[in-house]
Amino acid sequence: MTKIKEGIIDALSENDCFLSKQELIEKLKSKKIKPARSTIYRELRFLIANRIIIKNTIKGIDYFEIPQNYHYHLICLKCGKISQVRINNFLKNLEKQIAKQNNFNIIYHSFNIYGYCHQCQTYLSKK
Amino acid sequence: MTKIKEGIIDALSENDCFLSKQELIEKLKSKKIKPARSTIYRELRFLIANRIIIKNTIKGIDYFEIPQNYHYHLICLKCGKISQVRINNFLKNLEKQIAKQNNFNIIYHSFNIYGYCHQCQTYLSKK
DNA sequence: ATATTTGCAAACGTTTTGCATAGTG
DNA sequence: CACTATGCAAAACGTTTGCAAATAT
């Protein structure tokens, strides 16, 4: 476990983080870690291959996260805001059902929901 | 609606298709449509922007589909097979709940589940 | 001393762009 | 005739690779 790997994991662990490459680089910078671009790519690949982090691509941008707890992402098609929402038991049950029905051993998932957030709905209806 | 747009939509409509760029190009070829690379990119961008198709990126590869019916994808981490599974009512209910809880107007989703398929589980347990 | 990690620059592949041409209403 | 769609080549961009230097074991 090197300083850079540790930095990435720390950054992604801090308050349930879900970070793009750019955001991750910023976070590392604030920790005084400034790896070369190639190093970041190599580390991310390593961490993904070893199932320590997962990659979730939304609208062409890669986001990285530590699969710590059940959640889904809400992506607003107007303002672009992405919010991470902790899961209710419903999803846990759904996964159990899916696993059983398909004889599939689930390791993790990405569940991205696209639509309009509250503000943008309000905005649209006012127009 | 041009011949190429039509070809893409047809290809993606045929038996619930979910195609990578490569697969799509093959399908078009068999329809005697051979657009320039830039045209494909332009058309896909257009169709996505206009919500006619959606893009779902799995393990760094973009897949395109027409959001016709509720489904999720099972992705095997060993053999790489991706299967599309039609939805049960459970997911429809879950979406309703999510929409209500977050005051979010859902347009579409992508739900990707990673793990081990039946064959690969069997294979692993035999080793 | 050996193995691993890192940075740098070059290479590579994919996607986008600019522009000229073809096709359409 | 004006407008859009297309192909081609070049440019731009993100990612990967090879190698040498630095660091750690």
Side-chain angles (χ1 to χ4, degrees):
Chain A
M1 181 60 58
T2 66
K3 204 181 66 178
I4 294 175
K5 274 188 190 63
E6 207 180 301
I8 292 175
I9 291 171
D10 281 0
L12 294 178
S13 298
E14 284 161 19
N15 44 295
D16 273 357
C17 264
F18 171 72
L19 298 173
S20 68
K21 218 156 291 163
Q22 284 302 3
E23 292 165 341
L24 178 61
I25 290 169
E26 288 306 314
K27 282 244 181 190
L28 290 177
K29 207 180 277 177
S30 71
K31 291 179 200 298
K32 311 274 176 249
I33 304 172
K34 289 178 193 142
R37 228 165 325 138
S38 56
T39 304
I40 299 234
Y41 282 107
R42 266 189 292 238
E43 292 299 13
L44 289 174
R45 243 189 304 153
F46 174 88
L47 293 170
I48 289 168
N50 288 278
R51 302 275 171 69
I52 297 165
I53 66 173
I54 65 172
K55 179 168 84 168
N56 185 2
T57 308
I58 296 175
K59 291 174 158 209
I61 294 169
D62 296 334
Y63 293 90
F64 302 90
E65 57 185 310
I66 293 177
Q68 29 200 353
N69 44 50
Y70 281 69
H71 62 261
Y72 53 87
H73 295 278
L74 295 176
I75 301 116
C76 181
L77 292 166
K78 181 160 194 317
C79 70
K81 200 179 98 189
I82 301 177
S83 35
Q84 190 169 209
V85 184
R86 290 278 192 100
I87 220 58
N88 45 44
N89 290 323
F90 229 78
L91 185 47
K92 226 173 273 185
N93 292 338
L94 176 60
E95 281 215 350
K96 254 183 219 158
Q97 204 182 321
I98 288 174
K100 207 192 231 175
Q101 276 178 9
N102 299 281
N103 217 319
F104 196 86
N105 178 19
I106 298 178
I107 305 295
Y108 66 89
H109 68 252
S110 71
F111 190 14
N112 300 327
I113 300 173
Y114 299 81
Y116 295 99
C117 72
H118 180 48
Q119 286 98 306
C120 290
Q121 284 171 59
T122 309
Y123 172 76
L124 288 173
S125 64
K126 272 185 190 154
K127 276 188 81 172
Chain B
M1 181 60 58
T2 67
K3 205 181 65 178
I4 295 174
K5 274 188 190 64
E6 208 180 300
I8 292 175
I9 291 170
D10 281 359
L12 293 177
S13 299
E14 285 161 18
N15 44 294
D16 273 356
C17 264
F18 170 72
L19 299 173
S20 68
K21 217 157 293 162
Q22 285 301 3
E23 292 164 342
L24 178 61
I25 290 169
E26 288 306 313
K27 282 244 180 189
L28 290 177
K29 208 181 275 178
S30 71
K31 290 180 200 297
K32 311 276 177 246
I33 303 172
K34 288 178 195 142
R37 228 166 322 138
S38 55
T39 303
I40 299 235
Y41 282 107
R42 267 188 293 237
E43 293 299 13
L44 289 174
R45 243 190 303 153
F46 174 88
L47 294 170
I48 289 168
N50 288 276
R51 301 275 170 67
I52 297 164
I53 65 173
I54 64 173
K55 180 169 85 170
N56 186 1
T57 308
I58 296 175
K59 291 175 156 209
I61 294 169
D62 296 334
Y63 294 90
F64 303 89
E65 57 186 310
I66 293 176
Q68 29 199 353
N69 44 50
Y70 281 68
H71 63 261
Y72 52 86
H73 297 278
L74 295 175
I75 301 117
C76 181
L77 292 166
K78 180 160 194 316
C79 69
K81 199 180 99 190
I82 301 177
S83 35
Q84 191 168 207
V85 184
R86 290 278 192 101
I87 221 58
N88 45 45
N89 290 323
F90 229 78
L91 184 48
K92 225 173 275 186
N93 292 338
L94 176 59
E95 280 215 351
K96 254 183 219 159
Q97 204 182 322
I98 288 173
K100 206 192 234 175
Q101 276 177 9
N102 300 281
N103 216 318
F104 196 85
N105 177 19
I106 298 177
I107 305 295
Y108 66 89
H109 69 252
S110 72
F111 190 14
N112 300 328
I113 300 173
Y114 299 82
Y116 295 98
C117 72
H118 180 49
Q119 287 96 308
C120 291
Q121 284 171 60
T122 309
Y123 172 76
L124 288 172
S125 65
K126 272 188 189 151
K127 278 187 77 172

